[in-house]
Amino acid sequence: MAAGILRFRLCDNGFDCEHCLLDAALRGEHAAPAEPGRSDDDLPPDRLYAAGHAWLQPRSGRTGVWRAGLDPFAASLLGDGLDLHLARPDRPLRRGQPLCEIRIGTGGLAIGAPVRGHLLRCNGRLRADPGLLLTDPYGHGWIAELVPDDPAEMHDLDSHPAAAARLAADRLRFRRAAAVALLAPLDPQDRPAPDRPRRTDLHDLLGPRAYLELLRDFIR
């Protein structure tokens, strides 16, 4: 670090270690901004959580209908300027089948259904304002409403205590994975144009391809 060399890759951050994402990851600091006014650990107890950081919440007054979305940890990793494509509604869903796809760089990140069921509708507000997925993931940024086929599948999801423990583990795992990825050589195809303003966010430092692969290990 002091020499400014990471696996023969010269430091491109001006040796500013205090504001370096690799240093932050190694120090155990969060690599992505949290939602203002809310900690990632503030998981509402009125819903269930899947391993890929999706949640399901029963709809008040609509028996058997559940609303699905992403938790703030996952949402905070997506970045601004989302290109989001919602699934076609009113159709059967397999478990893991995409509720929506988010375009990042040259690839897509699919947000899968936590359980099998029937997709009733998607959140039309996200078409006009996809940023709601980032700014209000537990509220207006919900993704879809569905009716699960098999109530037994709901037992595979976690309630608040188990979900909070998994979230803490995934936050630590993400920091470590980001630190390792930052040590790898940058793909030549991901190098920014010389006239492009230099940024220091993790997406730009890793390049869109490597960042997308990192996210796919946590969000699904």
Side-chain angles (χ1 to χ4, degrees):
M1 294 292 291
I5 299 176
L6 305 176
R7 196 191 287 180
F8 305 107
R9 176 180 166 189
L10 291 175
C11 173
D12 55 4
N13 198 37
F15 311 122
D16 183 7
C17 296
E18 288 303 312
H19 300 93
C20 174
L21 287 173
L22 175 56
D23 263 21
L26 294 174
R27 289 194 301 268
E29 298 174 4
H30 201 347
E35 179 188 355
R38 176 184 289 276
S39 164
D40 285 343
D41 297 321
D42 293 340
L43 300 176
D46 64 344
R47 59 200 77 195
L48 300 173
Y49 299 88
H53 293 279
W55 52 260
L56 280 178
Q57 177 191 34
R59 290 282 284 120
S60 177
R62 300 191 64 186
T63 303
V65 176
W66 292 70
R67 182 168 280 182
L70 274 183
D71 68 25
F73 167 75
S76 70
L77 302 179
L78 298 177
D80 299 326
L82 292 182
D83 180 12
L84 186 148
H85 300 270
L86 297 171
R88 178 173 54 85
D90 193 22
R91 63 187 178 90
L93 272 178
R94 299 185 306 274
R95 188 172 186 171
Q97 190 170 354
L99 296 173
C100 71
E101 184 180 68
I102 300 166
R103 303 295 299 179
I104 298 177
T106 58
L109 180 67
I111 310 301
V115 293
R116 287 183 297 119
H118 188 86
L119 178 62
L120 296 179
R121 66 181 183 125
C122 292
N123 184 0
R125 294 184 64 173
L126 289 179
R127 291 190 177 92
D129 186 6
L132 287 172
L133 191 65
L134 311 181
T135 59
D136 194 14
Y138 285 141
H140 296 303
W142 60 275
I143 297 172
E145 290 183 349
L146 56 92
V147 177
D149 281 346
D150 185 0
E153 280 194 352
M154 307 297 281
H155 297 305
D156 294 337
L157 306 179
D158 289 333
S159 58
H160 180 274
R166 185 181 60 242
L167 173 59
D170 270 2
R171 291 180 65 183
L172 178 59
R173 190 164 65 90
F174 181 84
R175 295 174 191 137
R176 291 173 174 170
V180 171
L182 283 165
L183 291 171
L186 186 65
D187 187 326
Q189 297 183 49
D190 283 335
R191 294 189 183 279
D195 58 347
R196 181 180 176 185
R198 189 175 71 88
R199 296 171 56 189
T200 57
D201 57 88
L202 190 56
H203 176 277
D204 270 21
L205 290 175
L206 290 180
R209 292 171 181 80
Y211 189 66
L212 180 60
E213 288 306 310
L214 178 63
L215 292 192
R216 282 175 175 160
D217 193 32
F218 293 86
I219 307 173
R220 54 190 181 277

